[in-house]
Amino acid sequence: RLSRRRMAQEARSLLRCRRAGIPAPAVYFVDYVTNSIYLEDIVDSVTVQDHIYSVQKSGKDPSGFHELAEKMGELLARMHDEDIIHGDLTTANLLLRPPTEKLDLVLIDFGLSFISGLPEDKGVDLYVLEKAFISTHPDTETMFQTLLKTYAATSKKSGPVIKKLDEVRLRGRKRSMIG
Amino acid sequence: MERTHRLELFPDRSVTLLLFQHVKNAAALRRKAMEGSIDGALINPAMIVDPFQILVAANKAVHLQKIGKMKTRTLYAEIIFSLSPSNNISDAFKKFGISDSDTAVLIVLVVDGDKTVNLADIASQVEGQQVSLDELSQLTDTAKVKKMYKVTPQEEKIGTLLDSVVCRMSTKDVL
């Protein structure tokens, strides 16, 4: 359930993603009465969050995370190049389609998303994900580093964004939570 | 041969689809539809990728009818309008409704709950052969659909044509 404006933003971001070839759920129906959006159900998907948990728990070779991090970096770079700010990047908002090994990512939950070309907004978007990584997934420092490296290599506009990310990191949490 | 689905969000309504080929009286049918003497939506199957596309349109039309916010005057006109990615009503009819020279027609009926649909009545008005909905994909003009809905090549990589079409249909009034 979302407010009307947020709902419109979410629907617009989803369509914008899809048109640019960024994997996001398809929109089936927008209900302005109950302010709800009916989306494609990504059947049998696993969140990246759960995937990381289960791989770590099983003690299997986590070098698999390297490729996952690269794919995430690439996906986010493409999204930001379309000036789409997700607004709530966490590993729970990234799904892996079955079979998991294919690392076929889908971005979900665009309820806080908006359109912006500002490096500051993109930097904050990445910062939110970094914080989520640190708090949710211990022992994954290299993963985020790999993600950023691939992001920088993929995105045509990454220079100023990484710079802003560094600034935001220095500023700390409170100043970066822009409502 | 025909297919009936209950609308998941509006279980008090059923949608029935009938497909006809080798239709000889498209012009007369179109006139009847415009007069309102045929109780159904007459749609050009070349623009339809999958029955789900019709269900999405019907769902939206029924929703708008229930809240009194239809853009057109009848439920069947609203279904045709909902199929279109544009907000221009007459354009929707031109592209998604049938034209006089069409030889295939898709008829969509919406009925309340368990009311029986008089299919024979509708079918008897069509001078053509009723075929299974399985034939629909053969009648789809994919190139035309892609052009109509402005599907990008990148988009085709992340989903089906049906996904792209349905996305446009459902978000056209939010953009």
Side-chain angles (χ1 to χ4, degrees):
Chain A
R1 279 250 196 164
L2 303 163
S3 74
R4 174 93 177 221
R5 190 172 58 91
R6 276 241 220 123
M7 189 175 71
Q9 278 180 303
E10 175 157 12
R12 255 182 244 128
S13 296
L14 285 167
L15 185 61
R16 202 169 164 128
C17 274
R18 292 195 66 94
R19 291 188 65 155
I22 292 160
V27 181
Y28 290 158
F29 176 44
V30 180
D31 183 346
Y32 295 99
V33 174
T34 58
N35 282 333
S36 26
I37 304 183
Y38 291 80
L39 301 171
E40 171 193 2
D41 176 23
I42 318 282
V43 185
D44 293 332
S45 61
V46 148
T47 63
V48 167
Q49 183 176 88
D50 287 340
H51 174 72
I52 294 177
Y53 284 160
S54 71
V55 169
Q56 282 183 326
K57 207 161 134 207
S58 71
K60 282 206 204 104
D61 186 6
S63 70
F65 289 162
H66 180 81
E67 208 190 327
L68 175 59
E70 284 183 331
K71 293 223 163 188
M72 286 169 69
E74 192 212 350
L75 182 60
L76 295 176
R78 287 198 294 135
M79 184 185 76
H80 281 174
D81 278 356
E82 294 295 323
D83 290 346
I84 300 168
I85 310 297
H86 184 278
D88 190 17
L89 281 175
T90 69
T91 50
N93 283 336
L94 266 160
L95 301 182
L96 283 161
R97 282 189 196 272
T100 316
E101 309 81 64
K102 269 188 84 184
L103 299 183
D104 201 357
L105 290 164
V106 181
L107 272 163
I108 60 166
D109 203 350
F110 284 79
L112 291 169
S113 68
F114 57 99
I115 307 294
S116 166
L118 297 179
E120 165 98 14
D121 292 326
K122 295 176 186 178
V124 169
D125 217 20
L126 292 173
Y127 183 59
V128 168
L129 180 60
E130 183 174 41
K131 295 300 293 284
F133 251 103
I134 294 170
S135 57
T136 328
H137 302 290
D139 304 322
T140 56
E141 293 76 24
T142 48
M143 209 177 155
F144 193 79
Q145 279 168 29
T146 308
L147 190 160
L148 268 191
K149 212 168 140 210
T150 316
Y151 178 97
T154 313
S155 163
K156 303 161 188 122
K157 319 171 193 174
S158 63
V161 174
I162 306 289
K163 221 171 135 231
K164 282 292 174 185
L165 172 60
D166 288 333
E167 280 175 36
V168 163
R169 278 165 168 163
L170 289 173
R171 279 207 310 251
R173 193 177 73 89
K174 292 202 169 64
R175 289 289 307 279
S176 71
M177 284 300 154
I178 300 162
Chain B
M1 249 206 296
E2 54 279 336
R3 252 188 241 174
T4 300
H5 298 266
R6 243 179 229 277
L7 287 178
E8 224 179 288
L9 297 178
F10 304 103
D12 61 325
R13 302 290 186 98
S14 296
V15 179
T16 302
L17 288 82
L18 299 96
L19 184 59
F20 297 89
Q21 271 186 283
H22 313 300
V23 176
K24 300 196 187 76
N25 64 336
L29 287 172
R30 192 172 78 86
R31 229 182 319 117
K32 281 191 187 178
M34 291 186 63
E35 285 166 10
S37 52
I38 267 198
D39 208 14
L42 273 61
I43 293 167
N44 178 1
M47 299 304 290
I48 308 301
V49 171
D50 184 281
F52 185 66
Q53 186 182 351
I54 303 287
L55 292 182
V56 170
N59 179 76
K60 188 169 180 185
V62 167
H63 167 78
L64 292 174
Q65 185 191 47
K66 288 197 182 233
I67 59 173
K69 292 248 170 97
M70 289 199 297
K71 299 266 167 72
T72 61
R73 277 184 286 149
T74 68
L75 180 65
Y76 290 126
E78 195 71 22
I79 291 177
I80 295 183
F81 178 58
S82 299
L83 285 168
S84 172
S86 109
N87 283 304
N88 182 314
I89 298 178
S90 38
D91 192 61
F93 274 96
K94 246 188 262 168
K95 303 276 163 59
F96 291 86
I98 59 168
S99 37
D100 294 347
S101 54
D102 282 347
T103 55
V105 175
L106 177 65
I107 300 187
V108 179
L109 309 167
V110 179
V111 290
D112 288 330
D114 301 309
K115 254 202 225 149
T116 36
V117 194
N118 195 341
L119 296 175
D121 186 43
I122 301 274
S124 64
Q125 296 184 60
V126 181
E127 276 173 37
Q129 186 196 6
Q130 191 182 354
V131 296
S132 157
L133 263 299
D134 296 331
E135 304 292 314
L136 180 59
S137 47
Q138 286 182 29
L139 296 171
T140 311
D141 186 338
T142 314
K144 230 167 143 189
V145 170
K146 284 187 195 171
K147 198 164 165 216
M148 181 79 216
Y149 288 98
K150 297 200 181 85
V151 180
T152 67
Q154 309 96 285
E155 205 178 343
E156 292 186 66
K157 291 198 198 123
I158 55 161
T160 62
L161 180 57
L162 176 61
D163 288 334
S164 305
V165 163
V166 166
C167 264
R168 297 281 188 308
M169 284 169 58
S170 57
T171 57
K172 82 173 179 192
D173 29 18
V174 104
L175 296 170

Coordinates of all heavy atoms in Angstrom, one line a residue, chain B residues 25-44 73-78 80 93 96-100 102 105-109 122 125-126:
Chain B
N25 N -18.1 -11.3 -42.8 CA -19.0 -10.2 -42.6 C -18.4 -9.2 -41.5 O -19.1 -8.7 -40.7 CB -20.4 -10.6 -42.2 CG -20.4 -11.4 -40.9 OD1 -19.3 -12.0 -40.5 ND2 -21.5 -11.4 -40.2
A26 N -17.1 -8.9 -41.6 CA -16.5 -8.1 -40.6 C -17.2 -6.7 -40.6 O -17.4 -6.1 -39.6 CB -15.0 -7.9 -40.9
A27 N -17.5 -6.2 -41.8 CA -18.1 -4.9 -41.9 C -19.4 -4.8 -41.2 O -19.7 -3.9 -40.4 CB -18.3 -4.5 -43.4
A28 N -20.3 -5.8 -41.4 CA -21.6 -5.9 -40.7 C -21.4 -6.0 -39.2 O -22.1 -5.4 -38.4 CB -22.4 -7.1 -41.3
L29 N -20.4 -6.8 -38.8 CA -20.2 -7.0 -37.4 C -19.7 -5.7 -36.8 O -20.2 -5.3 -35.7 CB -19.1 -8.1 -37.2 CG -19.5 -9.5 -37.5 CD1 -18.3 -10.4 -37.4 CD2 -20.5 -10.0 -36.5
R30 N -18.9 -5.0 -37.5 CA -18.4 -3.7 -36.9 C -19.5 -2.8 -36.8 O -19.6 -2.1 -35.7 CB -17.3 -3.1 -37.9 CG -16.5 -2.0 -37.2 CD -15.4 -1.5 -38.1 NE -15.8 -0.7 -39.2 CZ -16.0 0.6 -39.1 NH1 -15.7 1.2 -38.0 NH2 -16.4 1.3 -40.2
R31 N -20.4 -2.7 -37.7 CA -21.6 -1.9 -37.6 C -22.4 -2.2 -36.4 O -22.9 -1.4 -35.7 CB -22.4 -1.9 -38.9 CG -22.8 -0.6 -39.5 CD -23.6 -0.7 -40.7 NE -23.3 -1.7 -41.6 CZ -24.0 -2.8 -41.9 NH1 -25.2 -2.9 -41.4 NH2 -23.6 -3.7 -42.8
K32 N -22.6 -3.5 -36.3 CA -23.5 -4.0 -35.2 C -22.8 -3.6 -33.8 O -23.5 -3.2 -32.9 CB -23.6 -5.5 -35.2 CG -24.6 -6.0 -36.2 CD -24.9 -7.5 -35.9 CE -25.8 -8.1 -37.0 NZ -26.0 -9.5 -36.8
A33 N -21.5 -3.7 -33.8 CA -20.8 -3.4 -32.6 C -21.0 -1.9 -32.2 O -21.2 -1.5 -31.1 CB -19.3 -3.7 -32.7
M34 N -20.9 -1.1 -33.3 CA -21.0 0.3 -33.1 C -22.4 0.7 -32.7 O -22.6 1.7 -31.9 CB -20.6 1.1 -34.3 CG -19.1 1.0 -34.5 SD -18.5 2.0 -35.9 CE -18.8 3.6 -35.3
E35 N -23.4 0.0 -33.2 CA -24.8 0.2 -32.8 C -25.1 -0.2 -31.4 O -26.0 0.2 -30.8 CB -25.7 -0.5 -33.8 CG -25.9 0.1 -35.1 CD -26.5 -0.8 -36.1 OE1 -27.1 -1.9 -35.7 OE2 -26.5 -0.5 -37.3
G36 N -24.2 -1.2 -31.0 CA -24.5 -1.7 -29.7 C -25.4 -2.9 -29.7 O -25.9 -3.4 -28.7
S37 N -25.6 -3.5 -30.9 CA -26.5 -4.7 -30.9 C -25.7 -6.0 -30.8 O -26.3 -7.1 -30.8 CB -27.3 -4.7 -32.3 OG -26.4 -4.5 -33.4
I38 N -24.4 -5.9 -30.6 CA -23.7 -7.1 -30.3 C -23.2 -7.0 -28.9 O -22.5 -6.0 -28.6 CB -22.5 -7.4 -31.3 CG1 -23.0 -8.3 -32.4 CG2 -21.3 -8.0 -30.5 CD1 -21.8 -8.9 -33.2
D39 N -23.5 -7.9 -28.0 CA -23.1 -7.8 -26.6 C -21.7 -8.4 -26.4 O -21.6 -9.4 -25.8 CB -24.1 -8.5 -25.7 CG -24.2 -7.8 -24.4 OD1 -23.6 -6.7 -24.2 OD2 -24.8 -8.4 -23.5
G40 N -20.7 -7.7 -26.9 CA -19.3 -8.2 -26.7 C -18.4 -7.2 -27.3 O -18.8 -6.3 -28.0
A41 N -17.1 -7.4 -27.0 CA -16.0 -6.5 -27.6 C -15.5 -7.2 -28.8 O -15.1 -8.4 -28.7 CB -15.0 -6.2 -26.6
L42 N -15.4 -6.5 -29.9 CA -14.9 -7.2 -31.1 C -13.5 -6.6 -31.4 O -13.3 -5.4 -31.6 CB -15.8 -6.9 -32.3 CG -17.0 -7.8 -32.5 CD1 -17.9 -7.8 -31.4 CD2 -17.7 -7.5 -33.8
I43 N -12.5 -7.5 -31.3 CA -11.1 -7.1 -31.3 C -10.4 -7.7 -32.4 O -10.6 -8.9 -32.8 CB -10.5 -7.5 -29.9 CG1 -11.2 -6.6 -28.8 CG2 -9.0 -7.3 -29.9 CD1 -10.9 -7.1 -27.4
N44 N -9.4 -7.0 -32.9 CA -8.5 -7.4 -34.0 C -7.5 -8.4 -33.4 O -6.6 -7.9 -32.6 CB -7.9 -6.2 -34.6 CG -6.9 -6.6 -35.7 OD1 -6.7 -7.8 -36.0 ND2 -6.3 -5.6 -36.3
R73 N -18.0 4.8 -22.9 CA -19.3 4.7 -22.4 C -19.8 3.3 -22.0 O -20.8 3.2 -21.3 CB -20.3 5.4 -23.4 CG -20.3 6.9 -23.2 CD -21.3 7.6 -24.1 NE -20.8 7.6 -25.5 CZ -21.6 7.6 -26.6 NH1 -22.9 7.5 -26.4 NH2 -21.1 7.7 -27.7
T74 N -19.1 2.3 -22.5 CA -19.6 1.0 -22.2 C -18.4 0.1 -21.7 O -17.2 0.5 -22.0 CB -20.2 0.2 -23.4 OG1 -19.2 0.0 -24.4 CG2 -21.3 1.1 -24.0
L75 N -18.7 -0.9 -21.1 CA -17.6 -1.8 -20.6 C -16.8 -2.4 -21.7 O -15.6 -2.4 -21.7 CB -18.2 -3.0 -19.8 CG -17.2 -4.0 -19.2 CD1 -16.3 -3.3 -18.2 CD2 -17.9 -5.2 -18.6
Y76 N -17.5 -2.7 -22.8 CA -16.8 -3.3 -23.9 C -15.9 -2.3 -24.7 O -14.8 -2.6 -25.1 CB -17.8 -4.0 -24.9 CG -18.4 -5.2 -24.3 CD1 -19.8 -5.4 -24.2 CD2 -17.6 -6.2 -23.8 CE1 -20.3 -6.6 -23.6 CE2 -18.1 -7.4 -23.2 CZ -19.5 -7.5 -23.1 OH -20.0 -8.7 -22.5
A77 N -16.4 -1.1 -24.7 CA -15.6 0.0 -25.3 C -14.4 0.2 -24.4 O -13.2 0.4 -24.9 CB -16.4 1.3 -25.5
E78 N -14.6 0.1 -23.1 CA -13.5 0.3 -22.2 C -12.4 -0.7 -22.3 O -11.2 -0.5 -22.1 CB -14.1 0.4 -20.7 CG -13.1 0.9 -19.7 CD -12.9 2.4 -19.8 OE1 -13.7 3.1 -20.4 OE2 -11.8 2.9 -19.3
I80 N -11.6 -2.3 -25.0 CA -10.8 -2.0 -26.2 C -9.9 -0.8 -25.9 O -8.7 -0.8 -26.3 CB -11.7 -1.7 -27.4 CG1 -12.5 -3.0 -27.8 CG2 -10.9 -1.2 -28.6 CD1 -13.4 -2.8 -29.0
F93 N -9.8 2.4 -30.9 CA -10.8 1.7 -31.7 C -10.3 1.3 -33.1 O -10.5 0.2 -33.6 CB -12.1 2.4 -31.8 CG -13.0 2.2 -30.7 CD1 -13.1 3.1 -29.6 CD2 -13.8 1.0 -30.6 CE1 -13.9 2.8 -28.5 CE2 -14.6 0.8 -29.5 CZ -14.7 1.7 -28.5
F96 N -7.3 -1.4 -32.4 CA -7.7 -2.6 -31.7 C -9.0 -3.2 -32.0 O -9.3 -4.4 -31.8 CB -7.5 -2.4 -30.2 CG -6.1 -2.3 -29.7 CD1 -5.5 -1.0 -29.8 CD2 -5.3 -3.3 -29.4 CE1 -4.2 -0.8 -29.4 CE2 -4.0 -3.2 -29.0 CZ -3.4 -1.9 -29.0
G97 N -9.9 -2.3 -32.5 CA -11.2 -2.8 -32.9 C -11.1 -3.5 -34.3 O -10.0 -3.5 -34.9
I98 N -12.1 -4.0 -34.8 CA -12.0 -4.7 -36.1 C -12.3 -3.7 -37.2 O -13.0 -2.7 -37.0 CB -13.0 -5.9 -36.2 CG1 -14.4 -5.5 -36.0 CG2 -12.5 -7.0 -35.3 CD1 -15.4 -6.6 -36.4
S99 N -11.7 -3.9 -38.3 CA -12.0 -3.1 -39.5 C -12.8 -3.9 -40.5 O -12.8 -5.2 -40.5 CB -10.8 -2.5 -40.1 OG -9.7 -3.4 -40.0
D100 N -13.4 -3.2 -41.5 CA -14.2 -3.9 -42.4 C -13.6 -5.0 -43.2 O -14.2 -6.0 -43.7 CB -14.8 -2.9 -43.4 CG -15.8 -1.9 -42.7 OD1 -16.1 -2.2 -41.6 OD2 -16.1 -0.9 -43.3
D102 N -11.2 -7.1 -42.1 CA -10.6 -8.1 -41.3 C -11.2 -9.5 -41.6 O -12.4 -9.6 -41.9 CB -10.8 -7.8 -39.8 CG -9.8 -6.8 -39.3 OD1 -8.8 -6.5 -40.1 OD2 -10.0 -6.2 -38.2
V105 N -11.6 -12.4 -36.2 CA -12.2 -11.6 -35.1 C -12.1 -12.3 -33.8 O -12.3 -13.5 -33.7 CB -13.7 -11.3 -35.4 CG1 -14.3 -10.6 -34.3 CG2 -13.8 -10.6 -36.7
L106 N -11.7 -11.5 -32.7 CA -11.7 -12.1 -31.4 C -12.9 -11.4 -30.7 O -13.0 -10.2 -30.6 CB -10.4 -11.7 -30.7 CG -10.2 -12.1 -29.3 CD1 -10.2 -13.7 -29.1 CD2 -8.9 -11.6 -28.7
I107 N -13.7 -12.2 -30.1 CA -14.9 -11.6 -29.4 C -14.7 -11.9 -27.9 O -14.4 -13.0 -27.5 CB -16.2 -12.2 -29.9 CG1 -16.4 -11.9 -31.4 CG2 -17.4 -11.6 -29.1 CD1 -17.7 -12.3 -31.9
V108 N -14.9 -10.8 -27.1 CA -14.7 -10.9 -25.7 C -16.0 -10.6 -25.0 O -16.7 -9.6 -25.3 CB -13.6 -9.9 -25.2 CG1 -13.5 -10.0 -23.7 CG2 -12.3 -10.2 -25.9
L109 N -16.5 -11.5 -24.1 CA -17.7 -11.3 -23.4 C -17.4 -11.3 -21.9 O -16.5 -12.0 -21.4 CB -18.7 -12.5 -23.7 CG -18.9 -12.8 -25.1 CD1 -19.6 -14.2 -25.2 CD2 -19.8 -11.8 -25.8
I122 N -24.1 -15.4 -30.2 CA -23.0 -14.6 -30.7 C -22.4 -15.2 -31.9 O -22.2 -14.6 -33.0 CB -21.9 -14.4 -29.6 CG1 -22.5 -13.7 -28.4 CG2 -20.8 -13.6 -30.2 CD1 -22.5 -12.2 -28.4
Q125 N -24.0 -15.0 -35.3 CA -23.9 -13.7 -36.1 C -22.6 -13.6 -36.9 O -22.5 -12.7 -37.7 CB -24.0 -12.6 -35.1 CG -25.3 -12.5 -34.3 CD -25.5 -11.3 -33.4 OE1 -25.4 -10.2 -33.9 NE2 -25.6 -11.5 -32.2
V126 N -21.7 -14.4 -36.6 CA -20.4 -14.3 -37.3 C -20.4 -15.3 -38.5 O -20.6 -16.5 -38.3 CB -19.2 -14.7 -36.4 CG1 -17.9 -14.6 -37.1 CG2 -19.2 -13.8 -35.1

